[in-house]
Amino acid sequence: PNLLFNFSKKDLVYLVYEYIQGEPITKINRNIIKQVAFTAALLHNIKEDSCREFDKLNYPPFSTWYNLFLYNRNVQRRLGNEIAYNLEQIISKSNDKIKEIDKIKCFTHSDYRSENMILSDGIVYFVDWEFGNIGHSLGDIGQFFRYDYEFSIDEIYLFYEIYNTYAINKLPDNWFELAKLRDLINLLQMLSFNKDMPNRYNEITKLILNTINFFNK
């Protein structure tokens, strides 16, 4: 949606967007995948050096993120020893892949899920930009394919084909594996919150088990 107006008040920034009459995306089809892949490619073409304002953010090195969240007390308690051990093994074997993920930094939506997309007359609109930031392109892609079992092989390949048609930095052959590994960070982070949300945490744990099965198959 178009940004119509913005202003600041008491150190808060307010954004007024165009109203879109649409509906949430409840079922993914090929037309939606094409638009999502095309938009992701254009978004990720905005390189890090074009967004100098985000230099103020002081994140720890990406290589430390996995252990930072995996060894969080809440995460350990909610996952249990067996799942945590399996994740530890996957992460320890993925150093080269983690470095590969970190090579491409660009502007990202950072919450690139179908829940933040609205369908209106066949056109996909992307909302909820509050986490827009310099990040990893594979982070956005991993979020979109978080429920990978809802996509067919052909649909996954269609995304890859469209994305690489328009992206400056093409996805590598192992892009899907890297995207799953990158989204693992997001899942672990969500488990680290202090607030108790048992149903939500059970869903996240199932997604983490799905990731473990993906890497162990």
Side-chain angles (χ1 to χ4, degrees):
N2 290 320
L3 177 63
L4 303 179
F5 185 67
N6 70 90
F7 64 96
S8 299
K9 184 177 181 181
K10 295 182 179 179
D11 296 326
L12 293 176
V13 178
Y14 296 84
L15 306 174
V16 180
Y17 285 96
E18 169 191 13
Y19 175 74
I20 300 297
Q21 180 67 48
E23 56 189 21
I25 293 177
T26 56
K27 185 173 178 57
I28 304 290
N29 57 40
R30 291 177 65 85
N31 174 53
I32 291 172
I33 291 172
K34 288 179 180 179
Q35 293 186 61
V36 171
F38 170 74
T39 302
L42 297 189
L43 184 64
H44 298 159
N45 285 343
I46 303 174
K47 296 305 166 192
E48 184 179 13
D49 56 7
S50 300
C51 307
R52 306 317 303 177
E53 182 67 20
F54 291 100
D55 285 349
K56 298 175 183 177
L57 299 173
N58 186 24
Y59 291 130
F62 176 57
S63 59
T64 68
W65 292 10
Y66 292 91
N67 288 342
L68 176 67
F69 291 115
L70 180 58
Y71 296 117
N72 174 276
R73 182 177 60 183
N74 289 333
V75 174
Q76 290 280 315
R77 175 169 58 87
R78 287 164 181 153
L79 285 181
N81 293 335
E82 183 178 353
I83 297 176
Y85 175 78
N86 286 326
L87 286 177
E88 188 178 52
Q89 296 304 301
I90 291 170
I91 293 166
S92 66
K93 296 175 183 177
S94 301
N95 287 331
D96 290 342
K97 295 183 179 70
I98 291 171
K99 291 177 182 177
E100 194 170 351
I101 293 170
D102 203 26
K103 285 180 181 177
I104 306 174
K105 291 183 179 178
C106 55
F107 188 78
T108 60
H109 181 280
S110 299
D111 204 7
Y112 205 67
R113 301 173 297 124
S114 59
E115 290 90 336
N116 289 327
M117 301 173 190
I118 295 174
L119 191 63
S120 179
D121 294 329
I123 298 174
V124 178
Y125 291 85
F126 301 83
V127 300
D128 197 9
W129 290 87
E130 63 182 283
F131 298 117
N133 199 352
I134 295 299
H136 306 109
S137 59
L138 288 158
D140 279 348
I141 296 170
Q143 286 175 325
F144 181 67
F145 285 109
R146 180 171 291 168
Y147 297 90
D148 57 340
Y149 44 81
E150 296 181 354
F151 296 85
S152 68
I153 297 297
D154 288 342
E155 289 172 334
I156 293 172
Y157 183 77
L158 176 63
F159 180 96
Y160 168 80
E161 192 176 46
I162 297 297
Y163 185 95
N164 274 4
T165 299
Y166 297 99
I168 294 174
N169 286 307
K170 311 300 182 185
L171 292 174
D173 292 341
N174 63 340
W175 68 277
F176 198 80
E177 181 180 3
L178 298 178
K180 294 295 291 182
L181 184 61
R182 176 58 181 79
D183 193 49
L184 179 58
I185 284 286
N186 298 321
L187 298 176
L188 292 174
Q189 181 183 17
M190 287 188 285
L191 277 185
S192 70
F193 299 151
N194 289 324
K195 184 178 179 181
D196 281 326
M197 299 178 287
N199 292 334
R200 178 61 172 154
Y201 294 143
N202 286 337
E203 179 187 356
I204 294 170
T205 301
K206 289 178 182 178
L207 290 170
I208 290 175
L209 286 171
N210 180 62
T211 301
I212 290 173
N213 292 333
F214 174 84
F215 281 98
N216 288 340
K217 65 183 178 182

